[in-house]
Amino acid sequence: MKVLLLYPEFPDTFWSFRHALPFIGKRSAYPPLGLLTVSALLPPHWKRKLVDVNVEKLRDKDLAWADVAFLSAMLVQGPSLAQLIARCRKAGLRTVVGGPVTSADNPSYEGADHVVRGEAEGVIGALVTDLEAGKPRRRYETAGRADMTRVPPPDLHLARWRRYSAMPIQYSRGCPFSCEFCDVIELFGRIPRTKTAHQILAELDQLHGMGWRGSVFVVDDNFVGNKPAIKALLPRLEEWMRVHGNPFSLFTQASINLAEDDELLSLMRAARFNKVFIGIETPSAECNRAAGKMQNVKADLLACVRRIQEHGMEVMGGFIVGFDQDPPEIFEKQIAFIREAAIPISMVGVLIALPNTRLWRRLSGEGRILRQSMGDNTAALLNFIPRMDPEALLAGYRKVLASIYSPSEYFERAQAMIARLGARPRPRLACSDYLALFRSFVRQGVFARYRVAYWRFLGKTIFRTPRHIGLAVTLAIMGHHFFTLTRRLESGFPRRDATS
């Protein structure tokens, strides 16, 4: 059987980095790890082909080649998913849809022939058997959780990997915390399940053998969810890196309690982790407490961020406005916190109620759900009735974005963060890095409206911390994405009927 693995397009959001990727000659951030893991679970005699429409076009001959199409998507990819399903249906091609989008009754996959809910490892055998027999069911649902020690390496060789800025690997699934608005624990549970060190090193061997050099994203929703397991893995990871000439730089996602463990921070730095995304959400302890994010309530958030930075890792922060407990001055507080924490890359969004979360269930019970969210927390369309006046909430959100992503403010935070960074390994430079440098000098240093702030930022870096000039250029390029997207978001926000 021939299976076409189809990955829908991401819209233009903070997470897409669409306006930064052209600087380094890339088309997307990373390939679809979920689909490529599913591919590795299929029978070896099946033929497979990946088409990620974020980096290439879907051709009619791709559809004609296949016997069945497997599609996976996040909520935010829903519109593109619906288009791909319609195109497959028009071509007479059977479709199977899975991924986070199927965790709720979402209209984007209504046209699919078959729907898979839950982790693929639990149903792939039955699905394969039924497809080969020509009698697949409409729905497949996983019972229980996958044994991560039996998950094979993903078929990364199917991806056009030179078109991506980073490669993904996964060590664990699940998170021990219970944040009201988060769907991770609904999808993967609260007991982190991990692969073995041998599995992870085998996946790094695969990447190295493909010729990949550069960034690797450890996609775990909470990399430090199981600290004993991580501490056992990291020395093996450090040794592998050293033996292979340090071909990769790593980044991941973690909870704020990472900062409480100096040993763990040191092990991550030694293994060449250079940045980490932290869900900070809000400087309001009352909001974090109400959302069940107790790890943030217990922490001195500013001190924690600084401690991570001093161990040589950049902190990327996630922030939310729209909590029921938000005071009127929350927007100024968010701006002040982001500035004092020196977090250049701050992903600020409006709270959304994702399907099947505790937040969704609570707001449904209160009669406050307006519509199902499409997963984009930068959208102007609220999906629930907030306690704050909707127009005031969206106006405050616009104010936060306009402030933190004004070029001068952004570059000042980047400068402050660079000054804090402790010792960190020098990254390996590739041809694309030099090309990005040239493009940045031209596009940002000559033609951009913020060119004065840009040159001031680079000049200060060269004078004060010349070892970080490469990082400074990278941050400037990422800033261009945020500046561009913020202008577009500001112009697209409605000023009335915010909940209509």
Side-chain angles (χ1 to χ4, degrees):
M1 185 165 286
K2 292 178 286 188
V3 58
L4 180 63
L5 304 161
L6 284 178
Y7 198 53
E9 185 178 12
F10 278 99
D12 192 8
T13 68
F14 283 142
W15 291 104
S16 72
F17 294 105
R18 181 174 296 176
H19 306 288
L21 290 167
F23 284 86
I24 56 174
K26 306 296 182 181
R27 300 186 185 180
S28 186
Y30 17 81
L33 183 62
L35 269 180
L36 296 175
T37 301
V38 169
S39 174
L41 294 165
L42 297 175
H45 63 275
W46 279 30
K47 296 180 180 179
R48 61 269 273 168
K49 178 187 295 185
L50 171 69
V51 175
D52 176 358
V53 299
N54 294 282
V55 301
E56 61 184 312
K57 291 183 178 180
L58 174 62
R59 303 167 298 179
D60 290 340
K61 67 178 183 179
D62 295 321
L63 298 170
W65 169 85
D67 298 312
V68 62
F70 281 15
L71 303 96
S72 178
M74 300 181 186
L75 284 171
V76 76
Q77 295 169 280
S80 177
L81 173 66
Q83 293 172 3
L84 290 177
I85 291 173
R87 188 168 171 189
C88 288
R89 180 177 287 274
K90 185 177 180 181
L93 183 62
R94 186 190 301 272
T95 53
V96 180
V97 176
V101 73
T102 64
S103 64
D105 294 323
N106 190 287
S108 64
Y109 62 83
E110 285 180 350
D113 297 300
H114 313 287
V115 176
V116 176
R117 284 188 176 181
E119 296 174 79
E121 291 85 357
V123 297
I124 197 70
L127 177 61
V128 165
T129 298
D130 292 350
L131 283 171
E132 290 187 328
K135 298 179 179 179
R137 306 193 300 267
R138 165 63 179 167
R139 289 186 177 273
Y140 293 81
E141 189 153 357
T142 301
R145 307 292 183 188
D147 180 354
M148 294 293 288
T149 66
R150 302 183 65 181
V151 177
D155 283 341
L156 288 172
H157 63 275
L158 295 177
R160 296 179 180 269
W161 52 270
R162 295 184 188 278
R163 299 183 179 182
Y164 299 94
S165 64
M167 287 289 112
I169 63 172
Q170 183 181 53
Y171 176 59
S172 70
R173 296 179 192 167
C175 177
F177 299 114
S178 184
C179 305
E180 182 186 45
F181 53 81
C182 183
D183 63 348
V184 169
I185 55 176
E186 308 292 339
L187 297 172
F188 300 120
R190 290 189 60 191
I191 301 176
R193 294 160 286 135
T194 67
K195 295 179 180 177
T196 65
H198 176 77
Q199 286 172 284
I200 292 299
L201 298 185
E203 293 187 27
L204 294 179
D205 283 334
Q206 179 189 33
L207 283 175
H208 191 266
M210 287 166 46
W212 179 259
R213 303 294 183 270
S215 293
V216 173
F217 179 24
V218 184
V219 304
D220 303 25
D221 286 287
N222 190 352
F223 183 66
V224 300
N226 185 335
K227 285 187 178 182
I230 291 295
K231 288 183 179 181
L233 169 68
L234 289 171
R236 299 280 302 276
L237 197 53
E238 177 193 0
E239 180 185 15
W240 187 96
M241 288 284 195
R242 177 175 49 78
V243 169
H244 290 80
N246 298 315
F248 309 135
S249 58
L250 308 178
F251 64 103
T252 191
Q253 306 175 123
S255 47
I256 196 70
N257 61 318
L258 162 65
E260 301 169 358
D261 196 324
D262 285 335
E263 178 191 7
L264 183 52
L265 287 167
S266 297
L267 287 170
M268 288 181 67
R269 177 174 59 187
R272 298 184 70 82
F273 280 85
N274 64 8
K275 54 187 174 182
V276 58
F277 177 85
I278 303 285
I280 296 169
E281 320 313 355
T282 172
S284 167
E286 183 181 359
C287 290
N288 276 319
R289 183 178 293 106
K293 205 172 182 77
M294 299 308 297
Q295 67 273 26
N296 285 28
V297 175
K298 298 173 184 177
D300 181 334
L301 296 175
L302 286 171
C304 286
V305 169
R306 188 171 194 121
R307 192 171 300 121
I308 296 170
Q309 292 167 334
E310 289 172 348
H311 276 78
M313 286 184 282
E314 304 164 50
V315 172
M316 302 175 288
F319 298 90
I320 296 173
V321 295
F323 290 110
D324 284 354
Q325 298 75 22
D326 273 345
E329 66 273 13
I330 188 61
F331 310 107
E332 289 78 11
K333 287 186 174 182
Q334 288 278 25
I335 293 168
F337 181 94
I338 291 168
R339 180 183 298 129
E340 190 172 354
I343 303 177
I345 301 173
S346 297
M347 304 295 198
V348 185
V350 178
L351 182 67
I352 55 175
L354 293 173
N356 298 322
T357 58
R358 287 196 297 118
L359 177 62
W360 175 274
R361 292 189 287 270
R362 176 172 68 82
L363 295 178
S364 294
E366 296 172 2
R368 296 169 59 190
I369 293 292
L370 295 169
R371 61 184 64 81
Q372 190 173 121
S373 169
M374 288 309 296
D376 181 5
N377 64 352
T378 61
L381 201 62
L382 301 173
N383 83 317
F384 70 96
I385 301 171
R387 294 292 186 206
M388 186 181 293
D389 175 75
E391 288 196 13
L393 172 57
L394 294 179
Y397 178 52
R398 286 196 301 271
K399 178 180 179 180
V400 174
L401 292 183
S403 177
I404 68 171
Y405 286 124
S406 68
S408 59
E409 173 78 11
Y410 175 85
F411 287 132
E412 285 180 16
R413 290 200 312 277
Q415 196 80 65
M417 188 271 291
I418 287 174
R420 290 183 187 179
L421 279 183
R424 53 192 267 149
R426 289 184 178 274
R428 294 174 62 104
L429 295 179
C431 291
S432 60
D433 295 310
Y434 295 104
L435 184 59
L437 179 67
F438 173 75
R439 287 171 172 160
S440 175
F441 283 173
V442 174
R443 293 184 60 182
Q444 298 184 275
V446 177
F447 294 107
R449 290 181 293 179
Y450 56 84
R451 56 185 176 272
V452 174
Y454 169 86
W455 286 117
R456 185 183 298 117
F457 168 58
L458 293 189
K460 287 181 179 179
T461 303
I462 292 172
F463 179 73
R464 297 173 181 176
T465 51
R467 68 185 183 280
H468 290 317
I469 186 60
L471 171 60
V473 173
T474 298
L475 289 170
I477 289 171
M478 297 180 81
H480 180 77
H481 169 74
F482 296 123
F483 306 155
T484 303
L485 188 57
T486 297
R487 287 198 304 271
R488 294 184 180 183
L489 287 173
E490 285 182 308
S491 64
F493 269 100
R495 296 187 179 274
R496 294 184 180 178
D497 301 324
T499 59
S500 63

